[in-house]
Amino acid sequence: MPQKITDKLIECLIEAASYIAILLICIAAYLMLSYTELNELREEQRQDLFAARSEIAAKIQQSFSNKHLISRSVSAAFTINPDITQDEFYAFGEAINVEDPSIDTIAIVNGTIVTHLYSTLSMENLLGRDLAERPEQLLELEKVRQEGSTRLSGPTWLLREYSGFVMRQPVSTKSTDGDGPENTDIVSLVFSTEAFLDELGLDRFSERYDIGLSVESETQSRQPVYGNLATLNDAQAISTLPILGTVWNLALIPRETPSLIPSRESRILTLLLIGGVLAMMLTRYLHVLRRRNRRAAHHIKTALDTAPSGFVLFDANDRIELFNDRFAELLGDAASSVHRGASRESLLRATLRHNIFKIPIDDEEGWVKEQLQRLTVRGERNTAALSDGTWLQILEHTTSSGGRVMILNDITETLQSRERAKVAEQRLNDAIDALPVGFWLFDANDRLVLFNTVASEKFEGVNRDLAMGRPIEDLVRRRVEISKLVLVQGKPVDDYKLITQTLQDETSQIEVRYSEGRWFRYYTRRTSEGGLVMFRVEITDLREQQRQIEASNTELRAALRKRDEAEQRLQAVADMTSEWYWEQDAEMRLTHISEGFSRAMLVDRKDNIGKTRAEIFGPLPTTAETPFGEMVQKMIAQEPFRDIIFSHSFTPDTIKWVRMSGKPLYSPEGLFTGYIGMAADVTPLYQALREAKQADEAKTQFLNMISHELRTPLTAVLGFNSFLANHTKLPSHNALRESLSSGDEATIRTALEQFEKDIGQFTGRIQAAGTQLKALIDDMLDLARIEANNLRLNLGCVESAAVASSVIEQTQTLASEKGLEIKFDLIDALIYADETRFRQILTNLLGNAYKFTDEGLVEVRSSLQNDMVVFEVQDFGIGISKEMQNQIFDRFAQAKDGTDRRNNGVGLGLAICKDLIAAQNGWIKVKSEIGTGTTMSFALPLWCSKA
């Protein structure tokens, strides 16, 4: 009783210690997970800060890149047209403001004077202002001229009395008289600090971060742009951005320190609570199992005592831990040595003392030593004969703890029954060996269990003897490998799996031929127990008789079959290839053409068989000047020819290019009998070569056209500019000087008016040439944007009638110069389009109508068709040919018929119009006749509230 209380107390202490250990593990896991979660939050905050700083830095660089590009565009435009008026410059500035609304002022400074100005604010007191009044700006102007590069200054207090930035871009221009040195003007882009910061969108980040943004340069100390400098000093990482002579510093500091989120903390506690409860439940379950195992061990001991076999369990030191009563009973007189704790050695010596084994052991000490040193193999089986005539089967197993289990079974009756069965089996084997045919017996699993001497005969290629337990599939596979032919139901089969499946049927019969011409027939039958019996009978003599009967007929059929197969192969090759072969007689008359000719030339080959070359191709050439003539002359000379290429129309309106080779044929007597040859259709190759040549010609035409279009206005600019540069040589100038000498006021006024008229004509021609160059460059830029898929459209509601009327009014001068009349009939409809591009399309179409109409009328109409507004521009000019109507919308295309190079342009206008209209979900088409006129129609979507 005290021992049971002690055991129970120990069990309770062990169970309590396990629960305490689980509780400590849960606390440690909570601390570790909380620390890991906090680190993850810190890392997420760091990644978010880095992403926000990178995004702001990218926006700063993108903003200044866009403004730098705009300043260069203004400089380029001013370089091209230095005489631009204030109104033109203001219109140009409005277009730039559409691209970048943050730019509120654009100015051109000549020396220190503001000569041109665009501003979204009031321009009062700014145009013509002398910047020398502001020393700090004067210093920046001088640095820009000295360095010759774009500079950025700010934030500074601007003329408009607000803080902002100024981007200055130098631009070189010639003096108006053309003799003086180049002037360096400055293009200034002004934008406020507030607009710049709105563009960056820093307010979106200010809720989470303290932001510090500053700028500094060689002439300017660090100035805060956003936030304060303390943020830059306290930040762990600062992004430095060099931009146009300035250095921008950007820093972000999180406003909040990361802390464990309550929801995540509660989740961790919940998971740990669940895990702890489950662990305690599992521990409780394991303790219950341990107590059950103790009870089960007691039950096992009881069961072992009732078992018919002897059982004994040795520990790792070979001492008895457990045994049953049957084990002691089987040891007979040595049973007294069996008790718990007894060593295996003492047990072995007790069996020797009582002569338990039937066979005496001479060297007892050696035997004991051998048994103790022998390593027990898991599942080892041994038998032993006892002196009382009993046979024991000894089963030994090793345990995981290093011990061993020994089971003793009484197999005396089993061995006696086995001996009687062996005698009966021997009698059956003797009877089967006496059979004159091969015999195999397989069990229900189709494994070999019996065969006779005839069945074990080895054929050529068999290297090993038959073995019991060999599967029938393995046996069949080997027989198929060494056989020459296997017939199943009279049909050859080489798949051993199919042959095996046939033999495994209820009944089957197959025939096999081995080396040396030996034939065997195999029969199989299923037994009542599911086994398989197979017999083999030699039928070599029977097969030899059959072979001799069929030999003569087989040879004849084989010869006929080979002839037919050869003819079929030749015809199959001729039918599949895209080429064709031909034959002709000595008179150049075609006697055969393969089917490939019909497929390639789209004519029936039978229509040409029997015709001479002259009947097919017409009169034959008498010289070898052409490739076809060369081929005809070689045929006349009975010479071979190879790869001669010529063209011919086998069908109306279709020209085919043919490559032909031929070889003369001669009879055994040496007489010429005709030609045999091959031919192929090479038209696709020639078409590809012709298209490549056309593309090269188009490229050359484009280069010539561009050089002409650029050279013409440049020649006008240079020519009339030379008149202005040498105005003293003009007749009107000389007349003016002479009138000044005479002192006659009327004469002086007349001469001055003539001189001013000449100067006005020259400057007007230069202005027109510059406008032409600008239009050409604008077209090329639009084309580049379209091809780069970078075209920006500002789609919205547009009053089509008002815009069209405005364009007609603006182009009225062009019509008046040629004496043309303009009529228009416009409906008051709203369209969904980009107003600027809509104006550009109408201007291009009206320009073309004026350009190609020498007299008469130009009409502009609009109408409503379903959900589209259709616009028509009709002229009564020279018209466009039908051939060119499919090409006028291509790049660099101009109508040939009725048009010559006196009309300016490189053929980009209609191509750009087509792309602009397509980008706005519209369409364009043309209707024209030579000498009657042209109607260009295009449609744009009708505006609706859902557009």
Side-chain angles (χ1 to χ4, degrees):
M1 182 67 67
Q3 182 63 37
K4 292 180 65 177
I5 295 175
T6 302
D7 293 342
K8 187 173 182 180
L9 180 60
I10 292 173
E11 287 185 1
C12 291
L13 291 175
I14 293 174
E15 189 169 350
S18 62
Y19 293 149
I20 293 172
I22 291 172
L23 181 60
L24 293 176
I25 290 173
C26 289
I27 294 173
Y30 169 75
L31 296 176
M32 182 181 65
L33 291 175
S34 299
Y35 178 75
T36 302
E37 188 73 19
L38 194 57
N39 284 341
E40 289 180 356
L41 290 174
R42 291 194 185 101
E43 180 62 21
E44 289 178 3
Q45 186 184 66
R46 189 184 69 81
Q47 293 292 340
D48 291 343
L49 186 144
F50 177 77
R53 190 173 65 234
S54 300
E55 182 179 349
I56 295 172
K59 286 184 176 180
I60 293 172
Q61 291 178 331
Q62 179 65 34
S63 176
F64 283 116
S65 296
N66 291 340
K67 291 175 175 58
H68 187 205
L69 181 60
I70 291 173
S71 69
R72 295 181 63 182
S73 300
V74 175
S75 300
F78 190 66
T79 302
I80 295 173
N81 188 12
D83 297 328
I84 186 171
T85 64
Q86 169 59 26
D87 292 338
E88 292 175 334
F89 185 81
Y90 190 87
F92 186 52
E94 285 182 331
I96 292 176
N97 183 256
V98 172
E99 295 289 335
D100 191 346
S102 66
I103 299 174
D104 54 36
T105 303
I106 305 172
I108 297 178
V109 181
N110 188 320
T112 60
I113 305 301
V114 178
T115 60
H116 297 76
L117 179 68
Y118 163 78
S119 177
T120 58
L121 306 173
S122 173
M123 296 192 298
E124 184 179 359
N125 298 329
L126 287 182
L127 186 61
R129 186 168 180 176
D130 191 349
L131 299 181
E133 302 171 359
R134 303 290 291 266
E136 69 280 3
Q137 294 199 15
L138 186 60
L139 178 61
E140 287 294 329
L141 293 175
E142 291 302 324
K143 290 189 70 68
V144 171
R145 289 192 175 95
Q146 290 173 5
E147 295 177 1
S149 61
T150 306
R151 285 185 62 85
L152 175 69
S153 63
T156 183
W157 199 250
L158 302 174
L159 297 177
R160 293 295 188 183
E161 301 302 328
Y162 61 84
S163 177
F165 295 86
V166 181
M167 182 179 293
R168 296 179 174 89
Q169 168 77 30
V171 54
S172 298
T173 57
K174 280 282 189 178
S175 61
T176 56
D177 57 6
D179 294 333
E182 288 189 350
N183 297 323
T184 302
D185 295 342
I186 296 177
V187 175
S188 298
L189 269 66
V190 180
F191 50 96
S192 68
T193 304
E194 181 181 358
F196 173 66
L197 294 178
D198 290 341
E199 184 179 359
L200 296 183
L202 298 182
D203 293 340
R204 185 164 60 89
F205 303 95
S206 59
E207 295 181 359
R208 292 182 295 160
Y209 304 104
D210 288 330
I211 304 174
L213 178 62
S214 69
V215 61
E216 58 185 298
S217 64
E218 298 176 357
T219 60
Q220 177 182 294
S221 61
R222 179 179 290 186
Q223 294 292 328
V225 179
Y226 188 89
N228 53 64
L229 296 179
T231 303
L232 294 168
N233 296 330
D234 297 339
Q236 296 181 354
I238 298 176
S239 295
T240 302
L241 309 173
I243 299 174
L244 301 176
T246 62
V247 177
W248 289 71
N249 299 307
L250 173 63
L252 279 75
I253 299 177
R255 290 181 177 272
E256 297 180 358
T257 302
S259 60
L260 197 61
I261 301 174
S263 61
R264 296 189 179 182
E265 185 176 11
S266 62
R267 183 182 63 184
I268 293 174
L269 289 174
T270 302
L271 291 176
L272 289 177
L273 180 61
I274 294 173
V277 172
L278 291 177
M280 289 186 178
M281 293 175 62
L282 178 62
T283 303
R284 174 66 179 171
Y285 177 71
L286 292 177
H287 286 304
V288 172
L289 288 180
R290 188 166 60 86
R291 287 193 291 269
R292 290 179 180 175
N293 287 340
R294 292 185 60 186
R295 291 194 295 269
H298 175 72
H299 296 325
I300 290 173
K301 179 65 172 66
T302 304
L304 289 175
D305 287 340
T306 60
S309 301
F311 174 85
V312 62
L313 173 64
F314 295 94
D315 61 13
N317 296 320
D318 270 351
R319 292 187 177 276
I320 296 176
E321 283 190 349
L322 182 67
F323 65 93
N324 65 355
D325 296 338
R326 178 60 176 165
F327 178 76
E329 181 183 346
L330 290 175
L331 292 184
D333 296 337
S336 59
S337 301
V338 180
H339 57 84
R340 184 169 182 172
S343 66
R344 190 173 179 222
E345 181 180 357
S346 64
L347 190 61
L348 292 173
R349 292 187 183 279
T351 59
L352 292 176
R353 284 196 308 270
H354 296 284
N355 296 321
I356 297 299
F357 298 108
K358 182 177 181 180
I359 301 176
I361 297 174
D362 297 333
D363 185 6
E364 294 182 353
E365 291 295 329
W367 180 79
V368 171
K369 186 176 181 180
E370 178 184 355
Q371 294 298 317
L372 293 175
Q373 292 179 349
R374 181 172 60 87
L375 297 176
T376 301
V377 180
R378 185 175 180 86
E380 183 178 359
R381 295 170 180 261
N382 294 304
T383 57
L386 303 185
S387 57
D388 61 356
T390 302
W391 284 86
L392 295 179
Q393 181 187 53
I394 305 173
L395 303 177
E396 293 188 70
H397 294 266
T398 57
T399 65
S400 59
S401 61
R404 71 179 72 196
V405 175
M406 183 182 295
I407 299 175
L408 304 180
N409 294 320
D410 187 353
I411 59 172
T412 304
E413 183 63 27
T414 302
L415 291 178
Q416 291 174 354
S417 299
R418 188 179 298 169
E419 187 64 27
R420 290 192 297 269
K422 187 182 295 184
V423 173
E425 182 179 359
Q426 184 60 42
R427 292 173 182 171
L428 177 61
N429 288 340
D430 293 341
I432 292 174
D433 268 343
L435 293 175
V437 298
F439 173 85
W440 294 265
L441 176 63
F442 299 89
D443 61 14
N445 297 321
D446 288 337
R447 291 186 174 273
L448 184 63
V449 296
L450 184 63
F451 59 91
N452 65 357
T453 304
V454 177
S456 63
E457 177 185 1
K458 291 185 178 180
F459 294 103
E460 183 179 352
V462 177
N463 297 323
R464 62 173 180 169
D465 297 332
L466 285 176
M468 294 297 183
R470 190 174 180 182
I472 186 174
E473 183 176 353
D474 184 38
L475 186 66
V476 172
R477 179 182 59 79
R478 185 58 187 150
R479 291 297 188 275
V480 171
E481 290 176 354
I482 65 173
S483 66
K484 302 300 181 182
L485 180 64
V486 179
L487 299 177
V488 177
Q489 296 180 354
K491 298 179 180 180
V493 177
D494 57 1
D495 184 358
Y496 76 92
K497 292 185 178 180
L498 178 60
I499 297 172
T500 303
Q501 183 178 355
T502 302
L503 293 174
Q504 290 173 335
D505 292 339
E506 289 295 327
T507 59
S508 65
Q509 176 180 319
I510 65 172
E511 294 182 0
V512 182
R513 179 169 64 87
Y514 295 102
S515 59
E516 300 179 357
R518 297 183 65 184
W519 281 88
F520 292 90
R521 183 173 293 163
Y522 290 81
Y523 302 90
T524 58
R525 296 289 186 279
R526 282 288 177 186
T527 66
S528 59
E529 298 176 351
L532 184 69
V533 176
M534 182 168 64
F535 297 93
R536 183 188 69 197
V537 180
E538 186 169 4
I539 57 171
T540 305
D541 296 339
L542 178 62
R543 297 295 298 187
E544 180 64 23
Q545 294 175 2
Q546 293 176 352
R547 187 191 66 79
Q548 292 176 357
I549 294 173
E550 296 178 357
S552 58
N553 291 335
T554 301
E555 293 178 358
L556 178 60
R557 287 194 297 269
L560 294 174
R561 184 171 60 255
K562 288 181 179 179
R563 185 200 64 183
D564 295 340
E565 290 175 352
E567 292 179 354
Q568 292 174 359
R569 284 196 297 269
L570 181 60
Q571 186 62 39
V573 171
D575 292 340
M576 289 188 296
T577 182
S578 61
E579 300 180 348
W580 66 89
Y581 65 89
W582 52 271
E583 295 179 10
Q584 69 181 35
D585 58 18
E587 299 177 358
M588 294 190 184
R589 189 180 304 278
L590 290 170
T591 59
H592 179 76
I593 306 176
S594 65
E595 188 62 29
F597 174 82
S598 299
R599 290 193 298 270
M601 299 295 110
L602 303 178
V603 296
D604 192 351
R605 61 188 180 92
K606 296 178 181 179
D607 294 340
N608 293 283
I609 295 177
K611 294 182 179 180
T612 63
R613 297 275 178 178
E615 293 173 345
I616 296 174
F617 297 98
L620 300 179
T622 57
T623 63
E625 295 177 355
T626 63
F628 184 75
E630 179 185 357
M631 182 185 71
V632 171
Q633 296 306 313
K634 286 186 175 291
M635 286 184 176
I636 294 174
Q638 300 178 7
E639 296 176 355
F641 55 92
R642 184 178 183 83
D643 294 335
I644 291 181
I645 299 175
F646 61 94
S647 63
H648 182 70
S649 296
F650 293 92
T651 58
D653 301 328
T654 301
I655 298 178
K656 293 285 188 177
W657 289 86
V658 180
R659 184 185 68 234
M660 188 168 292
S661 301
K663 175 182 177 182
L665 297 177
Y666 297 90
S667 66
E669 293 78 18
L671 297 177
F672 173 73
T673 59
Y675 266 86
I676 186 172
M678 296 291 297
D681 180 15
V682 295
T683 304
L685 175 61
Y686 268 75
Q687 289 177 345
L689 291 174
R690 186 162 56 251
E691 291 173 359
K693 184 177 180 181
Q694 290 175 351
D696 185 68
E697 291 175 354
K699 179 188 71 175
T700 302
Q701 180 183 2
F702 164 67
L703 293 176
N704 292 336
M705 189 181 300
I706 284 294
S707 63
H708 173 79
E709 292 298 328
L710 290 174
R711 189 184 301 113
T712 299
L714 284 175
T715 301
V717 170
L718 295 175
F720 288 108
N721 187 65
S722 65
F723 284 130
L724 296 176
N726 300 283
H727 60 277
T728 57
K729 298 180 180 181
L730 293 175
S732 58
H733 180 270
N734 295 330
L736 178 60
R737 294 185 64 182
E738 292 176 1
S739 63
L740 289 173
S741 300
S742 65
D744 185 2
E745 183 177 351
T747 305
I748 293 173
R749 185 180 297 107
T750 303
L752 179 60
E753 290 176 353
Q754 182 61 38
F755 180 72
E756 289 176 346
K757 181 180 179 181
D758 291 343
I759 296 299
Q761 288 179 347
F762 298 155
T763 56
R765 296 290 181 85
I766 293 174
Q767 176 69 23
T771 302
Q772 183 180 349
L773 276 175
K774 182 178 181 298
L776 177 60
I777 293 172
D778 288 341
D779 285 347
M780 296 299 290
L781 290 175
D782 282 343
L783 179 62
R785 292 190 188 98
I786 291 170
E787 292 182 343
N789 197 21
N790 195 26
L791 181 65
R792 295 182 180 179
L793 295 177
N794 186 16
L795 297 175
C797 181
V798 178
E799 295 182 2
S800 62
V803 174
S805 299
S806 175
V807 172
I808 294 171
E809 182 179 353
Q810 291 173 1
T811 58
Q812 179 69 45
T813 305
L814 298 176
S816 299
E817 290 177 354
K818 300 185 71 173
L820 300 176
E821 181 183 1
I822 303 177
K823 288 185 178 180
F824 55 92
D825 181 15
L826 303 172
I827 65 171
D828 190 11
L830 300 179
I831 61 173
Y832 182 66
D834 184 322
E835 180 177 343
T836 302
R837 298 301 183 180
F838 177 52
R839 287 178 177 274
Q840 181 179 352
I841 295 166
L842 281 176
T843 302
N844 280 340
L845 296 181
L846 283 172
N848 284 344
Y850 301 151
K851 184 188 301 182
F852 299 106
T853 304
D854 294 328
E855 60 181 5
L857 179 66
V858 174
E859 293 185 11
V860 181
R861 297 183 297 272
S862 65
S863 60
L864 187 63
Q865 293 184 8
N866 298 327
D867 57 347
M868 305 290 283
V869 179
V870 179
F871 301 88
E872 295 181 350
V873 178
Q874 182 179 7
D875 64 65
F876 298 88
I878 58 178
I880 305 172
S881 65
K882 292 184 178 179
E883 293 77 14
M884 289 304 300
Q885 289 180 21
N886 295 327
Q887 303 177 21
I888 61 173
F889 294 108
D890 296 336
R891 305 286 194 270
F892 314 109
Q894 284 190 333
K896 300 291 184 181
D897 299 335
T899 310
D900 52 44
R901 292 307 299 165
R902 65 186 176 88
N903 295 313
N904 296 325
V906 293
L908 289 177
L910 290 178
I912 292 173
C913 287
K914 178 184 177 182
D915 291 332
L916 291 177
I917 292 170
Q920 299 175 80
N921 298 321
W923 51 260
I924 185 171
K925 58 185 179 181
V926 61
K927 180 180 180 182
S928 181
E929 291 182 10
I930 293 294
T932 301
T934 301
T935 301
M936 302 296 298
S937 303
F938 70 97
L940 292 173
L942 183 67
W943 165 264
C944 63
S945 58
K946 296 182 180 179

